[in-house]
Amino acid sequence: MSHSASAARNKSFSQNDAIGLSALLVSTSRQMPICVQELSARGVNVPVLIGGAAINRAFGRRAGLLADGTAYEGGVHYCKDAFEGLDVMDQLSDPERRRVLTEQAQKAALA
């Protein structure tokens, strides 16, 4: 992939309000932290919402921790169900609430 194509792809990800990942199987859930690592490596720092039958809140916190020991800048938010996902998206749509929620997610990843 050319540099300009890669840059355009990263820009398109950065324009999203959030990225949602769901895992019904443990094998699928193992890909979630890899996705977060890759987003960070590409400089894409949009919030990531994760959920599904194969994961829990503790897994969600760990998914926000990058390989270098820092927290993913965009924040990783575990959502136990669609209603919690809607609540998180509601918070992310307000700039001040988004800032607070992102800081909480980053602190949780480092805990």
Side-chain angles (χ1 to χ4, degrees):
M1 180 181 305
S2 72
H3 176 70
S4 59
S6 180
R9 183 185 207 174
N10 291 347
K11 183 178 180 189
S12 69
F13 273 120
S14 296
Q15 293 174 343
N16 291 316
D17 293 327
I19 296 173
L21 303 173
S22 179
L24 295 176
L25 303 170
V26 172
S27 59
T28 309
S29 69
R30 292 184 186 129
Q31 300 305 309
M32 290 177 163
I34 295 168
C35 290
V36 172
Q37 298 282 336
E38 184 64 23
L39 289 168
S40 181
R42 291 175 180 245
V44 177
N45 293 306
V46 298
V48 176
L49 282 65
I50 64 173
I55 66 169
N56 59 28
R57 198 165 301 279
F59 179 91
R61 285 191 300 268
R62 290 191 307 270
L65 186 63
L66 300 174
D68 66 1
T70 62
Y72 174 65
E73 191 175 318
V76 175
H77 310 279
Y78 169 76
C79 304
K80 68 179 178 178
D81 57 30
F83 295 107
E84 193 168 323
L86 289 170
D87 181 55
V88 169
M89 286 304 298
D90 186 48
Q91 292 178 64
L92 291 172
S93 67
D94 175 87
E96 180 57 26
R97 291 169 64 196
R98 179 186 187 118
R99 184 188 63 76
V100 171
L101 187 65
T102 302
E103 287 175 0
Q104 290 172 343
Q106 291 169 338
K107 287 178 185 174
L110 296 171

